[in-house]
Amino acid sequence: MTSSAPAVRARSRTVFAVVLCAGLTTALTACAGEDPDKGTNGVGKLTAAQIDKKARAAADAAAAVRLTGKLVSKGGTYTLNMQLSSKGGTGSVTSKQNTFALLRIGDELYLKADAGFWKDEKADDESDQAADKLQGKFVKVPEDDPTYEQLRGFTEKKTLLDGMLALHGKVNKGDRDTVGGVRTVQIMGGKGEGGALDVSLEGTPYPLRVARGGGGGTIRLADWGRTFPLEAPAEDDTVDYGGELPRSSG
């Protein structure tokens, strides 16, 4: 009579191997023979340079995007929460001292801030009067004002993205990850010192997170292609200051 024990043991080993494989599989790794790019947009199979090119093209083609996070530059550290499109932008920017709202429709740029933003360091009567007049109102920034270009830069989709998405040095592939529950693949400038992008592996290969090189801050990018209204503020919520804006503490 032939024993069935060897066959039973063989089946047991097979079952054990399957269970072990399933237990060790995570969102970022898979057992041998399983395609880690299954169900993705296939971008993860490309070279780092190809991923970079596709992510930039997707960003350029998108009608809109939301940026949130910290941006560190020579001018200071800013916390952004901005919605941007080719037609303008709206949202808030927080500097070391103040938070102010920005709204741009075409070439028309509006700024809203509290009294503290508008008060001059001299804190004289003229400064106080200007602050009282301007606080909590949308102020139309004259195009020839020295701050116009600087503030407009926060509302420019192409300007901000061109700077943020630029990787410096040789572009390399990094690890797989998730951003907001979406699977991503990372590409880096050098080993990360030249910046890093997390690119979506689902749907359109949009960049979903950027870590700027040299400690330049980390920004999340979301709501790609989701349009939003851009409307001029109500007349009773607007102050037309006229000429050059007063110097602010912001």
Side-chain angles (χ1 to χ4, degrees):
M1 182 174 180
T2 303
S3 173
S4 63
V8 171
R9 285 197 294 270
R11 286 196 299 271
S12 297
R13 286 195 296 270
T14 300
V15 171
F16 177 74
V18 171
V19 172
L20 179 62
C21 178
L24 294 178
T25 300
T26 68
L28 306 180
T29 62
C31 290
E34 188 173 333
D35 183 0
D37 291 298
K38 183 179 180 181
T40 73
N41 54 22
V43 167
K45 298 178 180 180
L46 303 179
T47 67
Q50 290 172 326
I51 297 172
D52 187 26
K53 184 176 181 180
K54 280 189 170 291
R56 286 171 173 274
D60 287 342
V65 65
R66 178 187 289 274
L67 306 181
T68 56
K70 290 189 182 297
L71 180 64
V72 182
S73 68
K74 293 180 180 179
T77 299
Y78 302 94
T79 300
L80 307 183
N81 185 356
M82 296 294 301
Q83 288 178 285
L84 308 175
S85 75
S86 61
K87 298 179 180 179
T90 183
S92 66
V93 179
T94 301
S95 65
K96 184 177 181 180
Q97 292 114 338
N98 302 99
T99 296
F100 51 94
L102 290 173
L103 168 64
R104 182 177 63 82
I105 306 170
D107 291 327
E108 294 187 341
L109 178 64
Y110 299 89
L111 166 67
K112 179 192 278 191
D114 61 19
F117 177 90
W118 295 112
K119 284 188 178 180
D120 195 299
E121 293 179 357
K122 299 176 183 177
D124 54 19
D125 290 341
E126 185 177 348
S127 172
D128 289 343
Q129 290 174 7
D132 290 341
K133 178 183 178 181
L134 302 177
Q135 67 169 326
K137 297 285 188 179
F138 277 104
V139 179
K140 189 174 181 180
V141 183
E143 291 187 41
D144 57 355
D145 187 89
T147 62
Y148 178 87
E149 288 301 325
Q150 178 187 3
L151 294 176
R152 176 172 175 145
F154 288 115
T155 69
E156 290 274 6
K157 174 178 177 283
K158 180 171 175 54
T159 300
L160 277 179
L161 292 184
D162 283 352
M164 286 183 185
L165 302 183
L167 298 175
H168 304 285
K170 182 181 178 181
V171 182
N172 298 295
K173 288 174 74 170
D175 296 331
R176 304 292 181 98
D177 202 349
T178 59
V179 176
V182 178
R183 288 177 291 176
T184 61
V185 60
Q186 189 177 78
I187 55 175
M188 306 175 293
K191 295 182 180 179
E193 69 277 5
L197 301 180
D198 286 278
V199 179
S200 177
L201 288 173
E202 302 177 21
T204 305
Y206 291 122
L208 300 184
R209 180 171 58 198
V210 52
R212 301 179 73 222
T218 299
I219 299 289
R220 293 278 292 269
L221 304 98
D223 296 344
W224 285 103
R226 185 177 299 177
T227 57
F228 56 92
L230 280 172
E231 299 177 355
E235 189 174 339
D236 60 0
D237 196 27
T238 308
V239 174
D240 187 353
Y241 193 81
E244 183 177 313
L245 295 178
R247 291 185 179 181
S248 73
S249 62

